[in-house]
Amino acid sequence: MTTIIFGILALLMVLVLLGVHVAVALAVVSALGVYWMIGSADVALSILGTTAYEALRKDIFIIIPLFVLMGDFVSRSGAARDLYGLCNRGFRRLPGCLGVATVMGNAVFAAITGVSIASAATFSRIAYPEMIALGYSRPYALGTIAGSACLGMLIPPSILMIVWAVLTEQSIGALFIAGLLPGLLLATLFGLYCALRAIWRPQDAPRGTEAPRAPGDLSREIIGGGTILVLIGIVIGGIWGGVLTPTEAAGFGAAGAFVLGLLRGMRVREVLEAVYNAGRTTAPIMILLITASMYSRFLAMAGATQVINGLLLSISDSTAVIVLIIFLIWLVLGMFIDSTSIILLTVPIFAPVANTLGLDPLAFAIFGVLVIEAGLLTPPFGILVFTVKAAVPDPTVRLGEIFRGAVPFWLLILFVAVLAILWPPLSTWLPQTYL
């Protein structure tokens, strides 16, 4: 039994590393695994089909497209540019003010989009030209944009947290609130790094520089940035206060962003493009979640989690050693596979192990999201780095510059991840107090 289980899991990793789409790989190994156990192809397909149908029936899946749609409406409305301008004004007296403004703008924008790639693409077009025009070094500017975009997967609402909650049957609202303090801490550390580097290496971020603003810019920025804060209040405050479920909060947020877009001059064509883009973004995630449900069913039927749990405990009875092994596995996978796929492949296995070790589920989830999110900046895959490279309006930018500039942010992400697992109240205090 154990040999077959590890053979199936090895086949899964081989397919993924060979470039087979993760959804296809999950479906194939799930079908093979269940067929091996049942001995009947018809019964195996029936079980997997029922699993897929039950997964689709969960109303929880509507949250993902609604949050993506909300972020797309806000981005197209131009409110993100106003938000950045407002942050720029607020931090103009600090060293590296544009770097700090980029971090804080990303932190607020993250509470709208829930997708790091969207934040990276948006601020690559908004912040990079302004930073370069005022003499900031390219590695500093590019690293700040790529690194701070990671906040999109930690500060709620987060697509990764939704996927994690679906796989582990945890409360989405609790996970959202659990990510708030670690997300704010990480944003603060990012901002401090930007300011301290500007002091240590003033050639990277010249002092006393601020982009010129037209007289009417301030009122527009206050309206645009203020509207984003109102949307955040509806989404996060509604969940936090128990007034709205996550699904209802996503609906209100998407509707509010739609109204904002119309008021800011968004046309019918742009509305349709936003809807189509939300579909293009969420459809692959939905397919992955369906096949991940099939994969989880196979793991449960085969008793794979118990086998792997026993294997890890046989290596060491130390919780620290087992967590370190999980940490290293996530870091290695992050070099080659995107964050959502890593969660789908590993969380059905590692979450039960964490429960056996007595780790708090919320703290372990935040730890996992942070470590996996660090993979977005890890070569050779580093999807955020490639996103910034594609989005910046400068064809001379090299990938090496972005990776080099993002290293300090990568280290800070891992630092907060370790802190989250060593000190669980960082993640658990807010949910336990207010939910």
Side-chain angles (χ1 to χ4, degrees), residues 194-261:
C194 290
L196 291 175
R197 177 162 176 174
I199 296 172
W200 176 47
R201 290 177 55 89
Q203 65 271 28
D204 285 341
R207 294 290 300 270
T209 56
E210 182 186 357
R213 304 288 177 188
D217 283 352
L218 179 58
S219 59
R220 191 193 70 243
E221 290 168 359
I222 291 175
I223 293 172
T227 305
I228 289 182
L229 295 177
V230 170
L231 280 175
I232 293 172
I234 293 173
V235 173
I236 306 303
I239 297 173
W240 194 336
V243 178
L244 300 173
T245 67
T247 306
E248 292 167 343
F252 274 102
F258 175 67
V259 173
L260 171 64

Side-chain angles (χ1 to χ4, degrees), residues 117-325:
I117 293 176
S119 298
T122 300
F123 280 85
S124 293
R125 301 185 188 101
I126 295 174
Y128 178 78
E130 204 161 321
M131 296 171 82
I132 295 302
L134 294 177
Y136 283 62
S137 70
R138 296 209 307 193
Y140 180 95
L142 295 165
T144 300
I145 293 167
S148 58
C150 287
L151 295 169
M153 287 302 182
L154 184 61
I155 294 179
S158 162
I159 302 302
L160 281 189
M161 288 185 184
I162 295 173
V163 174
W164 189 295
V166 170
L167 292 177
T168 59
E169 298 184 350
Q170 288 180 262
S171 165
I172 292 180
L175 268 181
F176 279 180
I177 302 304
L180 196 55
L181 284 182
L184 294 176
L185 173 61
L186 190 59
T188 302
L189 292 176
F190 283 174
L192 284 174
Y193 164 74
C194 290
L196 291 175
R197 177 162 176 174
I199 296 172
W200 176 47
R201 290 177 55 89
Q203 65 271 28
D204 285 341
R207 294 290 300 270
T209 56
E210 182 186 357
R213 304 288 177 188
D217 283 352
L218 179 58
S219 59
R220 191 193 70 243
E221 290 168 359
I222 291 175
I223 293 172
T227 305
I228 289 182
L229 295 177
V230 170
L231 280 175
I232 293 172
I234 293 173
V235 173
I236 306 303
I239 297 173
W240 194 336
V243 178
L244 300 173
T245 67
T247 306
E248 292 167 343
F252 274 102
F258 175 67
V259 173
L260 171 64
L262 293 181
L263 294 176
R264 297 294 297 268
M266 195 165 59
R267 306 299 182 190
V268 174
R269 183 171 59 85
E270 293 174 303
V271 172
L272 293 176
E273 287 177 354
V275 174
Y276 294 150
N277 183 64
R280 286 191 294 266
T281 301
T282 57
I285 298 176
M286 297 299 187
I287 295 172
L288 282 168
L289 286 172
I290 292 170
T291 54
S293 298
M294 298 162 62
Y295 172 61
S296 297
R297 174 63 64 89
F298 157 67
L299 293 178
M301 292 177 63
T305 52
Q306 290 85 354
V307 171
I308 295 175
N309 195 343
L311 176 64
L312 289 174
L313 292 175
S314 69
I315 294 174
S316 173
D317 57 0
S318 169
T319 299
V321 172
I322 296 175
V323 170
L324 178 61
I325 293 171

